[in-house]
């Protein structure tokens, strides 16, 4: 049975940024579908030494009712205390909620110091100028971080699989001109299920310890990435950048 697509999550109010937004950044005034802000708005964040991504100091209080004892608790607390990730309301974080393609590119756009968008051509028929992810999708496409389909679509609400997250991360690191260090061999029982288009990124990002397998035995290339796992991935990215 196909995994149902969750109600679109409106993320990312503007966090602290050293450079202004591009002039074509569109504000979304439709609040009907706003369920959660994933990147928090911080009033006066304290930023660490300059890196290629924006990494505020962990100074904010964190009190989610649904993360205690979970495998991602430490990462969620770390990212939320930095004002990078935020809960879904009513004291919840909902760590098992899956993330979408538009949310990943928006997150990378927000974290990146380089937000320059030199061109304004939109190759995606399903990305409109008044979409909240419009600029981040164009930015990620221009930088080579994300690509659309052969049919000219971006599929912004498609859930992100593990192998897709690995490919996103590999391209983001290339854009940042960063490289990790392979720390372990790729020895999952389902390696033969990983397609040619993603295997290089999958092996590299797993070896870097950034986008790892579903468990110690199974990589799970088609399993989706949750909010909790996203927090862990971002925490590892911050550690790599630092």
């Amino acid at each position: 049975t196909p995994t149902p697509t969750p109600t679109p999550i409106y993320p990312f109010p503007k966090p602290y940024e050293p450079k202004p937004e591009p002039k074509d950044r569109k504000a979304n005034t439709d609040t009907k579908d706003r369920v959660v802000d994933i990147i928090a708005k911080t009033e006066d964040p304290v930023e660490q030494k300059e890196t290629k991504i924006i990494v505020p100091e962990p100074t904010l209080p964190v009190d989610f009712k649904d993360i205690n004892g979970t495998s991602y608790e430490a990462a969620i607390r770390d990212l939320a205390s930095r004002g990078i990730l935020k809960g879904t309301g009513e004291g919840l974080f909902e760590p098992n909620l899956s993330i979408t393609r538009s949310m990943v590119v928006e997150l990378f756009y927000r974290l990146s110091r380089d937000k320059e968008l030199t061109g304004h051509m939109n190759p995606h028929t399903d990305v409109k100028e008044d979409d909240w992810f419009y600029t981040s999708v164009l930015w990620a496409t221009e930088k080579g971080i994300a690509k659309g389909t052969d049919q000219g679509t971006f599929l912004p609400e498609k859930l992100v699989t593990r192998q897709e997250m690995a490919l996103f991360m590999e391209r983001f690191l290339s854009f940042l001109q960063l490289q990790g260090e392979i720390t372990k061999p790729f020895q999952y029982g389902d390696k033969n299920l990983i397609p040619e288009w993603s295997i290089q990124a999958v092996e590299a990002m797993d070896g870097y310890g950034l986008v790892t397998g579903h468990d110690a035995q199974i990589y799970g290339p088609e399993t989706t990435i949750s909010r909790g796992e996203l927090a862990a991935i971002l925490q590892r990215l911050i550690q790599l950048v630092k």
Side-chain angles (χ1 to χ4, degrees):
T1 303
T3 302
T5 301
T7 302
I9 300 176
Y10 186 92
F12 319 120
K14 184 178 180 181
Y16 167 72
E17 296 173 6
K19 297 192 292 186
E21 292 277 8
K23 293 181 180 179
D24 67 342
R25 188 68 171 168
K26 300 295 181 179
N28 188 342
T29 57
D30 184 1
T31 60
K32 292 187 297 181
D33 294 326
R34 295 185 187 182
V35 179
V36 53
D37 292 333
I38 288 186
I39 289 187
K41 181 187 293 183
T42 57
E43 296 300 324
D44 186 22
V46 179
E47 194 177 355
Q48 295 176 345
K49 66 179 182 179
E50 183 164 320
T51 60
K52 293 184 178 181
I53 62 175
I54 299 170
V55 186
E57 290 281 6
T59 59
L60 302 176
V62 178
D63 187 21
F64 298 125
K65 298 183 292 185
D66 58 347
I67 66 171
N68 292 339
T70 65
S71 57
Y72 302 120
E73 179 182 357
I76 292 169
R77 291 189 182 280
D78 181 30
L79 273 291
S81 70
R82 296 179 187 276
I84 296 174
L85 300 185
K86 192 177 179 182
T88 60
E90 299 183 358
L92 301 177
F93 183 81
E94 295 190 85
N96 296 323
L97 194 64
S98 296
I99 61 172
T100 64
R101 285 168 53 84
S102 57
M103 293 159 68
V104 171
V105 297
E106 179 77 3
L107 177 58
F108 285 166
Y109 174 80
R110 292 291 184 177
L111 289 177
S112 176
R113 289 188 181 279
D114 180 1
K115 293 179 172 59
E116 182 180 6
L117 184 60
T118 59
H120 299 277
M121 292 185 60
N122 178 11
H124 311 298
T125 59
D126 55 351
V127 176
K128 307 302 181 184
E129 193 171 355
D130 58 352
D131 288 329
W132 57 263
F133 47 78
Y134 176 77
T135 298
S136 58
V137 169
L138 265 61
W139 171 85
T141 301
E142 180 179 292
K143 305 303 182 185
I145 298 169
K147 298 180 181 180
T149 69
D150 293 338
Q151 291 72 43
T153 57
F154 184 76
L155 305 179
E157 300 304 330
K158 181 182 180 297
L159 301 184
V160 176
T161 65
R162 190 170 309 279
Q163 62 185 350
E164 289 170 339
M165 188 68 207
L167 194 57
F168 275 134
M169 184 61 73
E170 181 186 55
R171 293 170 178 164
F172 189 49
L173 291 185
S174 177
F175 164 68
L176 296 175
Q177 297 182 325
L178 293 173
Q179 186 172 359
E181 180 180 349
I182 300 294
T183 59
K184 61 174 182 172
F186 192 82
Q187 296 179 329
Y188 295 99
D190 59 346
K191 180 177 179 178
N192 64 312
L193 300 179
I194 302 172
E196 183 178 346
W197 61 265
S198 67
I199 186 63
Q200 178 178 324
V202 163
E203 290 187 344
M205 296 306 103
D206 180 76
Y208 293 174
L210 290 174
V211 185
T212 55
H214 180 68
D215 56 41
Q217 288 75 42
I218 299 297
Y219 182 81
E222 293 292 341
T223 57
T224 57
I225 299 294
S226 68
R227 282 167 49 81
E229 191 163 8
L230 176 65
I233 291 170
L234 294 179
Q235 185 184 51
R236 297 168 196 150
L237 174 64
I238 290 171
Q239 292 168 351
L240 173 64
V241 172
K242 292 169 61 178

